[in-house]
Amino acid sequence: MKLLCVVGVRPNFIKVAPLLAAARAHRHPFEVSLVHTGQHYDKRMSGAFFADLGIPPPDIDLGVGSGGHAQQTARVMMAFEPVLLESDPDVVVVVGDVNSTLACALTAKKLHYRVSHIEAGLRSGDMATPEEINRICTDAISDDLFTTDRMADANLAREGVPGERIHFVGNVMIDTLIRHLPAARDARIAERLGINRPYATLTLHRPTNVDDGETLAALLEAVLAGTGDMPVVFPVHPRTRSTIERCGLTRFLRDDPGPGLFAVEPMGYLDFLGLNAGARLVVTDSGGLQEETSVLGVPCVTLRERTERPITVQQGTNIVAGNDPGRVRAAIAEGLGREVGGGQTPELWDGHAAERIVDILAERS
Ligand code: UD1
Ligand code: UDP
């Protein structure tokens, strides 16, 4: 059976790594190819993850790069179509909710290829975010919908997806976490950064938080006020870096681990996992980090109005705070008031999701 897996952005590499390993180790002879759309391309946003996660280099890099939504989606579709026809796989596997996910699913489905969507069924209800549109459209046209929790199954059922297309398999991102946590801890990143007391971490990259200078400044101020004299390690996403530079916000940042926002480059997977595993608190607007902190038992404050991952609030460690500065400060105080080690790991987030997916794909071949 021939699988063509698509990746485009940082979290995709983390999700696809266990799938590639499970497909290659499976008793059925899977032939696997990996297409990178090139949506993320900086070494720290892309290449570093292949090395950290032991993923072989992509067979093809479409090299589409950055651009507006229409431009980026269209460029991926145009570049992917000939590659797909040439490869002629049995299944196209897409992960997550980014522009590359939708672009490749749409291209494949129109050419009558079978499309499998991993991390299907998540819904925030917020159609103002590009990810929600990507999720709904990708799920609507995919043949196999692999979900991370039963709420996602219910979302899909509500949208009329027949039950036989929905497979609750667990969470591939957590497969990767479980596999790499010992090595991540061994890397002792906090010590290497010179931090020897309780610290927090911060990531921000949602357009609604970071594209406008005033909004971003107010958020950084709120995080600073909430975390007091704790060091807050802040690996800065390139999208956020560009606003910081354009709007002159470097005054909020420092380049050492004293009290305040310690800005660093985007970190490799192992270092960042190790950093979060040892943190007192994580403040973020990331999707994946809400899940990782839930499994690590580290309190997480999410700077978004709504989450597509409500299970991380119900069972994990997540507090959804929006981006109003007062609410953010209060949520940080609440997070710091919680013990590390709280929350529970959601059902089937056990390190074996990718094996279940590959078994299902093999059965259907
Ligand atoms: C994208 C996804 C988002 C996901 C995130 C993961 C969409 C619509 N958005 O957001 O859902 O959470 O990836 O990190 O698909 N840039 C660089 N170097 C890079 C990549 C990006 O400098 O390697 C800069 C460019 O200025 C670019 C901007 O970051 O315009 C945004 O990149 P883009 O991939 O469009 O969106 P993200 O914000 O990264
Ligand atoms: N991550 C990383 N280094 C960083 C920031 C994030 O390795 O500097 C990892 C993080 O642990 C998670 C994934 O990247 O596994 C999340 O990616 P991101 O927040 O960019 O995207 P989202 O999950 O919001 O789509």
Side-chain angles (χ1 to χ4, degrees), residues 227-251:
T227 51
D229 61 4
M230 250 187 189
V232 180
V233 185
F234 180 23
V236 186
H237 187 288
R239 175 173 209 124
T240 311
R241 171 80 63 191
S242 91
T243 306
I244 287 172
E245 283 166 7
R246 179 169 45 84
C247 302
L249 305 181
T250 46
R251 67 183 182 280

Side-chain angles (χ1 to χ4, degrees), residues 3-305:
L3 291 188
L4 187 160
C5 299
V6 175
V7 288
V9 302
R10 174 165 69 186
N12 294 170
F13 313 130
I14 297 158
K15 290 168 195 174
V16 106
L19 192 79
L20 297 176
R24 293 202 164 102
H26 200 267
R27 59 190 184 282
H28 273 71
F30 276 94
E31 193 186 314
V32 186
S33 60
L34 184 64
V35 173
H36 188 340
T37 66
Q39 180 172 343
H40 283 179
Y41 44 86
D42 287 350
K43 184 160 186 295
R44 289 176 193 275
M45 296 298 288
S46 173
F49 289 85
F50 285 76
D52 255 18
L53 299 169
I55 312 175
D59 297 284
I60 307 240
D61 191 331
L62 305 178
V64 300
S66 305
H69 288 286
Q71 197 181 43
Q72 191 171 59
T73 310
R75 277 207 222 121
V76 173
M77 292 181 73
M78 289 170 69
F80 185 53
E81 189 172 62
V83 167
L84 178 59
L85 289 169
E86 170 74 26
S87 161
D88 195 26
D90 297 298
V91 183
V92 174
V93 180
V94 296
V95 296
D97 55 16
V98 302
N99 285 349
S100 297
T101 312
L102 174 61
C104 292
L106 196 51
T107 307
K109 192 63 192 169
K110 288 220 166 155
L111 292 172
H112 311 298
Y113 284 98
R114 182 167 146 203
V115 177
S116 293
H117 183 207
I118 297 182
E119 209 181 67
L122 298 179
R123 297 289 181 269
S124 65
D126 185 355
M127 289 296 279
T129 62
E131 293 81 11
E132 185 74 349
I133 300 167
N134 293 339
R135 287 179 201 118
I136 290 173
C137 297
T138 303
D139 286 343
I141 59 173
S142 292
D143 299 280
D144 314 297
L145 297 155
F146 294 108
T147 62
T148 51
D149 65 59
R150 295 190 189 278
M151 284 185 257
D153 294 16
N155 291 337
L156 292 169
R158 229 182 350 261
E159 289 170 17
V161 177
E164 66 267 18
R165 279 168 47 197
I166 305 171
H167 309 281
F168 169 41
V169 289
N171 193 325
V172 285
M173 193 165 227
I174 303 307
D175 289 5
T176 300
L177 182 153
I178 290 172
R179 169 151 184 226
H180 292 283
L181 188 56
R185 289 192 196 276
D186 285 351
R188 308 179 90 81
I189 178 68
E191 201 176 296
R192 279 162 44 222
L193 289 173
I195 300 173
N196 52 16
R197 59 207 179 93
Y199 61 90
T201 67
L202 170 68
T203 77
L204 292 172
H205 71 276
R206 295 289 147 198
T208 45
N209 287 336
V210 307
D211 284 1
D212 172 67
E214 273 178 36
T215 307
L216 179 58
L219 275 179
L220 296 178
E221 244 162 13
V223 174
L224 276 168
T227 51
D229 61 4
M230 250 187 189
V232 180
V233 185
F234 180 23
V236 186
H237 187 288
R239 175 173 209 124
T240 311
R241 171 80 63 191
S242 91
T243 306
I244 287 172
E245 283 166 7
R246 179 169 45 84
C247 302
L249 305 181
T250 46
R251 67 183 182 280
F252 289 106
L253 309 180
R254 56 187 302 158
D255 58 9
D256 62 62
L261 303 182
F262 177 16
V264 296
E265 294 294 327
M267 291 175 86
Y269 180 76
L270 292 178
D271 278 345
F272 195 52
L273 175 59
L275 191 72
N276 290 321
R280 182 66 193 79
L281 179 79
V282 172
V283 182
T284 191
D285 59 13
S286 162
L289 259 178
Q290 298 171 55
E291 298 180 338
E292 292 170 336
T293 47
S294 285
V295 173
L296 293 170
V298 174
C300 177
V301 171
T302 297
L303 306 187
R304 296 204 214 158
E305 292 305 325

